[in-house]
Amino acid sequence: LILALAACGGTSSDPPSGGPSPSNNPPTANPIVGIGSHSLTPQDLTDIHSLGITHVRITLYTAWWEADEAYRVEWAAGVRRAAAHGLRLLVTVHQVPTDWTAERFGWWLHDRAEDIGYAIEVWQIGNENWSLPGSLPPVEYAEFFNAAKYAVQKAAPHALVVALHGGSGHGRSFLW
């Protein structure tokens, strides 16, 4: 189990920038704690659950899904196990084959969301995309993101689809 712990600095009701706390949001006793994991085996999930962790970030390696049936089976089973444990999942979709179009990626992601999207709360499209060799330029990334957002929300309307943070290089030009 590869872990990267992150905990917010206060409770979910802490006011932003030191402003007054809204009266309709009573303070909670426990901060939200999330973890990144590259494995969702039964033992991993038992360990995660025993720590009181409720949010898990996992990666869906597109190229591995396409190339390896064992990866597909275990990844989907891990997502289902996590859902059975009541965990809230953020999936980072990563390593899209270089010969794919945005439309192909969208339909591929639609099929994943249709199959297991009920268990995934947030889909993050890409991971530090613009700082890696072979990365997509911002305009092309936007095409992939829009195709992904449409496809996921068609298959799993409850899901949130988010863009990556940008990394180095093109990030600022894409955001502005």
Side-chain angles (χ1 to χ4, degrees):
L1 176 68
I2 299 172
L3 308 175
L5 270 176
C8 71
T11 67
S12 60
S13 64
D14 284 347
S17 305
S21 180
S23 60
N24 62 348
N25 287 338
T28 58
N30 297 319
I32 296 171
V33 178
I35 194 167
S37 179
H38 285 282
S39 175
L40 296 174
T41 66
Q43 184 61 54
D44 295 333
L45 293 171
T46 297
D47 293 344
I48 290 168
H49 185 73
S50 73
L51 294 170
I53 293 169
T54 56
H55 295 68
V56 179
R57 178 187 181 269
I58 60 172
T59 303
L60 172 54
Y61 292 98
T62 309
W64 294 2
W65 182 282
E66 287 298 294
D68 186 353
E69 183 177 355
Y71 176 81
R72 289 191 297 272
V73 169
E74 181 51 33
W75 194 90
V79 167
R80 289 183 180 100
R81 284 190 295 266
H85 274 80
L87 296 174
R88 298 172 72 180
L89 297 178
L90 179 151
V91 172
T92 299
V93 184
H94 192 40
Q95 293 184 347
V96 176
T98 57
D99 61 341
W100 282 19
T101 63
E103 182 180 14
R104 180 174 178 190
F105 175 61
W107 281 111
W108 181 89
L109 201 53
H110 175 272
D111 291 347
R112 305 298 75 76
E114 196 170 61
D115 180 38
I116 54 176
Y118 70 90
I120 299 168
E121 190 169 313
V122 180
W123 298 77
Q124 176 186 321
I125 308 307
N127 184 39
E128 301 166 359
N129 196 53
W130 303 319
S131 61
L132 301 173
S135 298
L136 294 174
V139 171
E140 191 174 351
Y141 172 80
E143 292 171 6
F144 275 75
F145 176 81
N146 288 331
K149 182 176 180 184
Y150 175 80
V152 168
Q153 290 182 334
K154 185 174 175 79
H158 70 280
L160 178 64
V161 181
V162 298
L164 55 92
H165 67 81
S168 63
H170 300 289
R172 187 166 178 81
S173 65
F174 174 71
L175 294 172
W176 303 109

